[in-house]
Amino acid sequence: MTPTAAIVLGLLERLGEASAYDVKRAAERWLGNFWSTPHSQVYRTTEQLAADGFLAARPDTTAGGRARTLYRLTRRGRTALAAWQREPLAALPELRDPALLKLHFGADLGTLAGAQLAAHRDQLVAYEARQREDTGAEPRGPWLTLRAGILHEEVWVRFWTELLEGAQGGPTRRAVRP
Amino acid sequence: MTPTAAIVLGLLERLGEASAYDVKRAAERWLGNFWSTPHSQVYRTTEQLAADGFLAARPDTTAGGRARTLYRLTRRGRTALAAWQREPLAALPELRDPALLKLHFGADLGTLAGAQLAAHRDQLVAYEARQREDTGAEPRGPWLTLRAGILHEEVWVRFWTELLEGAQGGPTRRAVRP
DNA sequence: CCCACCATGTAACATGTTACATGATTGG
DNA sequence: CCAATCATGTAACATGTTACATGGTGGG
């Protein structure tokens, strides 16, 4: 069960019968926050899952409009999804941030930190705006992941701010060792 | 310039002439913290960079031992590396954490949060131990990225702890809305 | 001397990214 | 009615992952 497969199954459980495009939009809306899935991936994955019996495929026959395929979970798909949800997960993600690579290899601190700080600040503001839409309604999952995003953006802002202040103090001043 | 290419060039600048295996070990040691690069990637990338003229390749002729190839930066490689270091970078990384996917799709909070909390705690302890080795010597890059790792592990510990406490309060109690 | 592990690769496959194509829809 | 955008895919290529293969080396 790859992450993309889990996403497709999980979203189709919510959506009922839907097209690959619907799944892609739902993924953007609900997961875009911490996980992007290009549409080409979604098309490939629905096809694959259908071939493996996790999804049932059906051509959409509504008169107007272009031909397309609708998918829904089979019993097998439901079972696989439930099993995935139950499995614990001890693996840790990597930061894998290209900006840290540049930092490691001695990029100019002021330039890099400035650009990153601005971008992370914008992201934080966007997340906070989104969070204010939370009405407390179920399901909680999406809001919890949004909170994770906010906490991480906060530390990024802190991290790059410290570096920027260190850099402005001049190259001789010891950076970031409070 | 892909991230892996930048890693290979950056490490070879430090190492002088070295084998793909040496590069792989250096990557583990210096970047393993936030970026993993399987050895098969490193072999492929050195070969590619040599074909493109960024590296000079030379068979190692020391008597004993298996045949291997040694690489070093060409002038062109040095130039490309320097250009990459200068470029600013406004792109943001994604969290892309499979555990957040499970959380989003309604995994059991106690199980998931417990497993994640334990793993992140261990990681945090390991990073802090590593940080104590910092003698303040140059280059600072590696230590700065370690600090980033620590900050992020701290928020993960905080995040999963909150969830775990919320879960223990029972399913009716509102989780994580302090 | 044999087993385990380090070193050095190669290969196959899955996933992710980017680009191409093209049919509907809609706003100007 | 034309252009831009949405919707629906396909294709090519790059990257990442996993497995295989096999030569040295050092310890029991």
Side-chain angles (χ1 to χ4, degrees):
Chain A
M1 174 79 83
T2 68
T4 307
I7 289 170
V8 168
L9 294 179
L11 290 176
L12 277 174
E13 186 182 42
R14 264 187 225 161
L15 295 171
E17 190 169 49
S19 71
Y21 196 78
D22 297 331
V23 171
K24 175 219 142 199
R25 259 187 326 181
E28 266 166 17
R29 167 127 172 62
W30 294 111
L31 308 168
N33 201 28
F34 67 99
W35 197 296
S36 65
T37 38
H39 76 278
S40 62
Q41 281 276 124
V42 176
Y43 283 97
R44 186 162 40 185
T45 305
T46 48
E47 202 177 328
Q48 183 83 43
L49 288 173
D52 295 347
F54 296 101
L55 299 180
R58 178 171 79 80
D60 181 8
T61 52
T62 55
R66 191 171 171 176
R68 60 186 194 151
T69 306
L70 296 179
Y71 297 94
R72 62 183 168 71
L73 289 185
T74 59
R75 176 169 323 221
R76 194 160 168 221
R78 248 171 243 287
T79 308
L81 177 60
W84 175 81
Q85 283 168 337
R86 266 198 314 277
E87 267 168 29
L89 177 69
L92 297 183
E94 277 178 355
L95 282 182
R96 219 177 179 71
D97 182 351
L100 286 185
L101 275 186
K102 290 213 190 208
L103 180 61
H104 179 98
F105 286 116
D108 177 66
L109 262 187
T111 312
L112 180 61
Q116 286 286 305
L117 182 54
H120 280 294
R121 273 196 176 133
D122 290 351
Q123 186 76 80
L124 180 55
V125 166
Y127 285 174
E128 285 171 343
R130 180 90 197 276
Q131 196 182 38
R132 281 194 292 276
E133 297 168 16
D134 181 6
T135 60
E138 306 296 329
R140 303 303 308 147
W143 299 108
L144 297 178
T145 59
L146 182 56
R147 174 158 170 80
I150 289 175
L151 289 175
H152 281 278
E153 288 304 330
E154 284 173 352
V155 317
W156 280 125
V157 167
R158 185 171 150 205
F159 179 73
W160 293 114
T161 300
E162 281 176 3
L163 284 189
L164 203 54
E165 285 166 2
Q168 279 165 355
T172 55
R173 187 176 140 195
R174 169 73 59 233
V176 186
R177 308 222 17 221
Chain B
M1 173 79 84
T2 68
T4 307
I7 289 170
V8 168
L9 293 179
L11 290 176
L12 277 174
E13 187 182 41
R14 266 188 224 159
L15 295 172
E17 190 169 50
S19 72
Y21 195 79
D22 297 333
V23 171
K24 175 218 146 200
R25 260 186 326 179
E28 267 166 17
R29 165 126 174 66
W30 293 111
L31 309 167
N33 200 26
F34 66 99
W35 197 297
S36 64
T37 38
H39 75 278
S40 62
Q41 280 277 123
V42 176
Y43 282 97
R44 187 162 39 186
T45 306
T46 47
E47 203 176 329
Q48 184 82 44
L49 288 173
D52 295 348
F54 296 102
L55 299 181
R58 179 171 77 82
D60 182 8
T61 52
T62 55
R66 193 170 168 176
R68 60 187 194 151
T69 306
L70 296 179
Y71 298 94
R72 61 185 169 70
L73 289 184
T74 60
R75 178 173 319 228
R76 191 157 169 222
R78 249 169 242 287
T79 308
L81 176 60
W84 175 82
Q85 283 167 338
R86 268 196 314 277
E87 267 170 27
L89 177 68
L92 296 184
E94 278 179 354
L95 282 183
R96 221 180 178 70
D97 182 351
L100 286 184
L101 274 187
K102 291 214 188 205
L103 180 61
H104 179 98
F105 286 117
D108 176 65
L109 263 189
T111 311
L112 180 61
Q116 286 285 306
L117 182 53
H120 280 295
R121 274 196 176 134
D122 289 351
Q123 185 77 79
L124 180 54
V125 167
Y127 285 174
E128 285 172 343
R130 180 90 198 276
Q131 197 183 38
R132 282 193 293 276
E133 297 168 16
D134 181 6
T135 60
E138 306 298 328
R140 302 304 307 148
W143 300 107
L144 297 178
T145 60
L146 182 57
R147 174 158 171 80
I150 288 175
L151 289 174
H152 281 278
E153 288 305 328
E154 284 172 352
V155 318
W156 279 126
V157 167
R158 183 170 155 205
F159 179 73
W160 293 113
T161 300
E162 283 176 2
L163 284 189
L164 203 54
E165 284 166 2
Q168 280 165 354
T172 55
R173 184 174 142 198
R174 170 73 60 235
V176 186
R177 308 218 21 218

